[in-house]
């Protein structure tokens, strides 16, 4: 499929809403722990802690998929949120979750600041920050 140079604002907004709905679902699930007591609460929180990076890593792949046909930016431009998502997704799909690309000096300008060899294990706060930067850059560069 040829690369896409531009996405409409309606598409970007719809993608943002779909991602936000999934984050909201996770937050509702996490809030359930507050309603539990005793050992059930501890067991639920322990399970949720293990589930969190699985869920947000998968949500990162969904975010990438919404814009998978975008024209590539500068090769491995790690300081660009669009390319950061692409590199992290690639690590999840082909690199057993380990970031292979060496971000070099751009590591400081990246959203998450991961380096080559780091495992991609996103927590809610990491994903939310990265998704916000991703959509801001998508509106700037792809609209």
């Amino acid at each position: 499929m040829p690369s896409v140079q531009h996405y409409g604002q309606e598409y970007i907004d719809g993608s943002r809403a779909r991602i936000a709905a999934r984050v909201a679902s996770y937050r509702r699930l996490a809030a359930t722990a507050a309603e539990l007591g005793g050992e059930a609460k501890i067991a639920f929180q322990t399970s949720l802690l293990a589930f969190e990076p699985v869920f947000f890593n998968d949500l990162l792949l969904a975010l990438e998929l919404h814009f998978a046909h975008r024209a590539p930016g500068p090769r491995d431009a790690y300081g660009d949120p669009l390319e950061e998502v692409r590199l992290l997704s690639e690590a999840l799909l082909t690199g057993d979750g380990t970031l292979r690309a060496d971000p070099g000096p751009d590591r400081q300008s990246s959203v998450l600041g991961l380096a080559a060899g780091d495992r991609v294990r996103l927590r809610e706060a990491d994903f939310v920050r990265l998704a916000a930067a991703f959509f801001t850059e998508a509106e700037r560069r792809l609209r």
Side-chain angles (χ1 to χ4, degrees):
M1 173 172 242
S3 58
V4 176
Q5 299 293 325
H6 302 285
Y7 291 86
Q9 186 64 49
E10 186 175 320
Y11 181 84
I12 293 171
D13 290 345
S15 296
R16 180 185 280 120
R18 284 186 291 282
I19 295 296
R22 285 163 178 79
V23 172
S25 292
Y26 174 84
R27 288 177 175 163
R28 284 191 300 276
L29 179 66
T32 302
E35 300 169 11
L36 299 174
E39 290 183 27
K41 182 174 188 166
I42 293 168
F44 186 86
Q45 288 175 327
T46 301
S47 295
L48 188 63
L49 192 62
F51 175 69
E52 184 179 14
V54 173
F55 179 80
F56 285 104
N57 282 1
D58 284 352
L59 197 52
L60 176 80
L61 296 174
L63 176 62
E64 171 64 17
L65 187 57
H66 278 99
F67 296 89
H69 299 294
R70 68 185 179 274
R75 182 71 187 130
D76 296 338
Y78 193 65
D80 173 344
L82 297 175
E83 296 309 311
E84 185 171 354
V85 166
R86 188 187 310 268
L87 290 172
L88 296 174
S89 295
E90 182 180 301
L92 291 171
L93 290 172
T94 63
D96 77 350
T98 302
L99 186 61
R100 291 185 200 177
D102 182 8
D106 287 336
R107 179 178 178 202
Q108 281 67 38
S109 62
S110 72
V111 176
L112 299 182
L114 297 176
D118 286 347
R119 297 275 300 164
V120 181
R121 291 186 45 83
L122 300 182
R123 297 289 177 186
E124 177 188 358
D126 298 328
F127 177 81
V128 168
R129 268 192 354 264
L130 183 56
F134 180 93
F135 282 114
T136 297
E137 186 65 14
E139 286 181 324
R140 186 186 76 73
R141 201 170 90 198
L142 300 176
R143 192 167 45 134

